[in-house]
Amino acid sequence: MAYKNPTPRQVSFFSSFIIAFALGLSLFGTSFLFPVVHLAWYLILILMFTTWVFAYLIFYNALQIFIYRRIKLVYKTISDLKSPRGRAPLKEKMSDNSLDEVDQEVRDWTESKTREIEELQKLETFRREFLGNVSHELKTPVFNIQGYIETLIDGGVKDHDINTLYLRRAAKNVERMAKIIGDLEVISLFESGALQLELKKFNILELAEDSIDSMRLMAGKRNIALGFKEGTKKVFQVWADREKIRQVLDNLLTNSIKYGKAGGETLIGFYNMDRNILIEVSDNGIGIEKVFRPRLFERFFRVDKARSKEHGGTGLGLSIVKHILEAHDQTINVRSSVDVGSTFAFTLKKA
Ligand code: ADP
């Protein structure tokens, strides 16, 4: 409807017209009823017209001064708040359709603020959960160390049956704490953007062979064979941070051994894509249920906590892997079937 939200001009125009029309009617009526005060019809029309013009000017200015200028102030404040600091406001000028515009601006503003609040609430929940997770993860090793040390102080240090054993156990717990703290430090460096990548050209096949060699002992303990997928063992030069990609490969291989089936195998494959190389690490292990897959890269997320801890896992490995690949502007994803196996696939830029 055109007149649902009339402009100041329209309001003034119609209001002044009604007044002028009422005046005209009363003057015509008076002239008709009391011929003594008879006024010529053209005089009445002139009076009507003059009243219309004056009333219009009065209405229009009053509306501008008392209502629209104030609304303009609100509009300007909203515009200033919406525009980022140091930049010009979104819209300096307001047309006559100001009420509509202010209404729209307020709606947009409310929507964006609601979104911001929701985002902040999510971050707050995330922060609270994260703090809870960190203290929970550190609590176990700290309590363990405390227990061993107290027993040693209470005389255990002289007991040759337990003194070395307890010291070794305490040392293992210290090692676990150091690993958690180290991993958290790496994540926080990535998140603060303080970690600089040392990009260079290198042979990814050679790096994968190195990584496989360093994992042979661990894989041997579980009788898991490590190698390359048939037909995919090709030399590719990539442009990336060699040390960080080594960390990615080590992590994926370690996981494939930890969560692989004894006597199984882990295979790496390289696939040529347009500007990238796709690298896949596949195992025929326990697999990951679909519901857990989207959460795998979250900090401290573990499908089976006991199994992860048994292998010294912190639940931070895949989170670091994701950070490393995102810092390279690359992605990682996972395909998996329970009891069949998992494939972690990531891309790297060709050199
Ligand atoms: P963790 O230290 O627990 O291994 P990660 O961040 O490396 O932490 O992995 C998170 C979780 O993802 C693991 O606890 C495990 O449940 C699951 N996971 C990772 N890799 C595999 C895999 N190859 N097969 C099955 N589950 C896996």
Side-chain angles (χ1 to χ4, degrees), residues 255 258-259 283 288 296 301-303 308 313-315 317-318 342:
N255 279 351
K258 286 195 299 195
Y259 308 106
D283 62 60
I288 304 149
L296 281 190
F301 180 80
R302 284 171 274 203
V303 176
S308 159
T314 58
L318 286 181
S342 312

